Amino acid sequence: MNPTTPDTLVEHLRGALGPTAVLTGPEDTDGYTADWRGAYRGAALAVVRPGSTDEVATVVRLCRKAGVSIVPQGGNTGMCGGGVPDASATQVVLSTTRMRRVREVDPANDAITVDAGVTLDAVHEAARAHGRMFPLTLGSQGSCTIGGNVATNAGGAGVLRYGMMRDLVLGLEVVLPDGQVWDGLRGLRKDNTGYDLKQLFVGAEGTLGIVTAAVLRLFPETPARATVWVALPDLGAGVALLELLKKHAGPRLGAYELVSRTALDLVLEHTVGAHDPFGQSHPWYGLIELEDADDAARLEEVVEAGVGAAFEQELVTDAVVAGSPAQRAALWGLREGISEAQNAVGASLKQDVSVPISSLAAFTADVDAAVEAVLPGVRRVTYGHVGDGNLHYNLSKPDGADDAGLLDASDALTKAVYDVVAAYDGSLSAEHGLGRTKTAAAAAYKDPVELALMRTVKAALDPAGTMNPGVLLA
Ligand code: FAD
Ligand code: 2HG
Ligand code: ZN
């Protein structure tokens, strides 16, 4: 066979994996070269769909020989363009979507081991079948994969009680940039034998290797749930309510999400079947979920006492408690439908920021003023995970304008937001990662020592720079 070069790589990949696992040509690769928002469209030399860890290692070795870079991709639901190739048509997209095996469920160890391409929904289902629960929940869970969740250190609504993906991973299997397989699939709670290497790959966005499998923590099921949608007079009340909820609910507080009226309006306008639980408009809303193993009566008491106190302290102005699973789903639909609803009105600038919870209200007032000064009337689609100090401070074009004005002002708007984030010692990416979108901003705003350390890690693991170049690090 010819030596492996960029010109012969496709032939070599087909030889190793079989012809159907290697896609070329836009008719077959289009679904892998653009992101779901339509914000990124690249082109690939090929899309490969290995079916096993050994096949992933083979692809990595062949690409390394040819000097071709690899873009790992799972469900392609990412927010920052990290899973799509650039426009050069010289990169290989490695899709994990054929790696869909639940390898083992070990209820006694509260652990599940799955291939990287298993969807988050499928993990929930497998855990449920064994009387357990996996707590990561995302609006994208029908499509996003465990590999993608690990690579982005995904967050979502359950972080308040259970932590981010980083806190839920016990072990990983990773194909390293030189093609070696690191078998770190240990289901141990305690292992103090050196650096915690798995954590290097969590949040690395595919720049240090390809996650091929993971051991994840499972939890007891919490079938007793109370879900409450409240109207808030302002954001400060929303933050004060968090304190009150913690006091009344303690560890039963499973989620506490914030939704601005602007965000709710988009959902009501663009989501079939969505309706406003209240007769009149309020500036902010909170979605509260309490959970317990079995004590539904206790949850009712907590809701009554907590929401009652919130009314007394004028932190909430209206409230509705879900009376059935269908009502619960409808309330969650109002929250989880925001991404898609915002997408329906055209381009958006997604700013996924965090600040200390105590600063949320002041930060929002300052950042509102800063973006208004750049583009008067810009729509602030603000919502997020208040319990984590994480706001999705997303911007859409002003009412009646077209996308061009928003896109022309995007650099100035982004800078305005990040300057205020920096002033509050916040983060410019709380949960979605840097991808291609925020790499330059991170280089400008992150501590230089931190950046240098990150580059040292990258150079040590991927000296040839073939793993997802242009993502995470400039
Ligand atoms: P992809 O989009 O395919 O890839 C994302 C990144 O991970 C890329 O850099 C890619 O190169 C890398 N990658 C993928 N698989 C691997 C692998 N096996 N090994 C190494 N690198 C890999 N995110 C949140 O954090 N919280 C939310 O609440 C949330 N809600 C969402 C709601 C909606 C409606 C949508 C569309 C998205 C949401 N997301 C959310 C974003 C997204 O779903 C997550 O970032 C998710 O973890 C991405 O998984 P994926 O499999 O789609 O990864
Ligand atoms: C959410 O919390 C997700 O709904 C998506 O993180 C946020 O679309 C977004 O910007
Ligand atoms: Zn989020």
Side-chain angles (χ1 to χ4, degrees):
M1 217 179 213
N2 303 321
T4 315
T5 66
D7 290 341
T8 61
L9 180 62
V10 169
E11 178 197 341
H12 284 237
L13 289 167
R14 288 202 166 118
L17 268 66
T20 55
V22 183
L23 313 176
T24 54
E27 63 289 358
D28 290 330
T29 60
D30 266 4
Y32 301 87
T33 53
D35 73 330
W36 69 275
R37 290 168 61 207
Y40 289 90
R41 170 158 293 289
L45 176 68
V47 174
V48 288
R49 301 182 65 226
S52 66
T53 301
D54 282 350
E55 287 191 356
V56 172
T58 301
V59 173
V60 170
R61 280 190 215 110
L62 286 171
C63 288
R64 191 175 171 91
K65 262 195 200 162
V68 165
S69 60
I70 297 178
V71 179
Q73 188 182 94
N76 197 10
T77 67
M79 293 285 178
C80 318
V84 291
D86 63 24
S88 66
T90 60
Q91 300 185 303
V92 163
V93 174
L94 189 154
S95 166
T96 59
T97 45
R98 278 183 60 224
M99 300 176 65
R100 292 251 150 116
R101 200 160 56 94
V102 174
R103 295 192 189 179
E104 187 192 10
V105 184
D106 183 352
N109 192 37
D110 281 322
I112 183 170
T113 306
V114 295
D115 281 355
V118 171
T119 63
L120 182 51
D121 257 353
V123 170
H124 287 178
E125 210 174 292
R128 223 174 7 248
H130 288 81
R132 297 291 187 278
M133 188 263 285
F134 183 61
L136 190 80
T137 49
L138 308 178
S140 54
Q141 63 197 37
S143 313
C144 68
T145 62
I146 292 305
N149 299 154
V150 170
T152 58
N153 184 24
V159 174
L160 188 58
R161 183 173 153 120
Y162 297 98
M164 295 187 72
M165 193 60 175
R166 192 179 289 296
D167 304 298
L168 303 174
V169 173
L170 290 174
L172 288 182
E173 178 187 82
V174 181
V175 174
L176 300 171
D178 62 3
Q180 284 189 86
V181 179
W182 172 50
D183 180 357
L185 282 180
R186 288 183 287 274
L188 303 176
R189 262 73 183 173
K190 288 185 150 180
D191 177 8
N192 240 346
T193 55
Y195 301 133
D196 191 354
L197 292 176
K198 65 180 181 294
Q199 293 296 351
L200 268 184
F201 301 94
V202 183
E205 300 184 54
T207 60
L208 299 179
I210 296 167
V211 175
T212 47
V215 189
L216 306 172
R217 292 175 70 189
L218 298 180
F219 293 81
E221 286 186 295
T222 52
R225 302 252 162 175
T227 308
V228 193
W229 180 262
V230 295
L232 303 162
D234 53 44
L235 187 50
V239 174
L241 181 58
L242 176 64
E243 263 316 291
L244 194 74
L245 291 171
K246 281 186 189 158
K247 189 170 135 216
H248 281 270
R252 292 185 180 87
L253 182 58
Y256 177 32
E257 299 283 306
L258 264 185
V259 177
S260 66
R261 181 68 206 187
T262 312
L264 180 64
D265 276 339
L266 286 179
V267 175
L268 296 175
E269 224 173 284
H270 297 281
T271 313
V272 180
H275 79 273
D276 188 342
F278 305 131
Q280 67 183 94
S281 169
H282 300 271
W284 287 91
Y285 301 88
L287 178 57
I288 302 156
E289 179 135 306
L290 309 183
E291 53 184 89
D292 195 276
D294 53 12
D295 199 347
R298 176 74 191 124
L299 288 189
E300 267 175 44
E301 284 167 24
V302 172
V303 168
E304 214 165 287
V307 176
F311 270 112
E312 265 168 36
Q313 294 176 30
E314 298 180 355
L315 299 178
V316 309
T317 49
D318 209 343
V320 55
V321 182
S324 66
Q327 279 176 17
R328 174 176 179 255
L331 293 179
W332 272 103
L334 296 175
R335 164 61 183 89
E336 298 292 13
I338 302 171
S339 287
E340 278 189 41
Q342 188 177 18
N343 221 33
V345 294
S348 54
L349 295 183
K350 288 192 176 287
Q351 311 296 359
D352 158 39
V353 303
S354 62
V355 294
I357 298 167
S358 47
S359 306
L360 265 180
F363 163 78
T364 307
D366 285 358
V367 78
D368 281 354
V371 297
E372 180 65 21
V374 174
L375 183 64
V378 64
R379 263 202 281 181
R380 304 181 301 265
V381 184
T382 313
Y383 60 104
H385 316 286
V386 61
D388 315 323
N390 175 190
L391 279 188
H392 296 306
Y393 192 82
N394 294 347
L395 302 173
S396 281
K397 65 192 173 196
D399 248 345
D402 58 23
D403 280 344
L406 180 79
L407 296 173
D408 286 348
S410 72
D411 285 351
L413 286 167
T414 301
K415 182 174 181 325
V417 174
Y418 292 163
D419 283 350
V420 183
V421 169
Y424 279 87
D425 275 336
S427 167
L428 55 82
S429 179
E431 63 174 8
H432 297 157
L434 299 176
R436 297 184 185 283
T437 321
K438 295 175 189 164
T439 301
Y445 286 90
K446 268 179 91 76
D447 175 78
V449 176
E450 218 168 297
L451 282 166
L453 275 174
M454 281 168 58
R455 284 197 200 95
T456 304
V457 172
K458 170 77 176 171
L461 269 78
D462 182 22
T466 47
M467 288 305 310
N468 222 0
V471 168
L472 202 103
L473 284 166

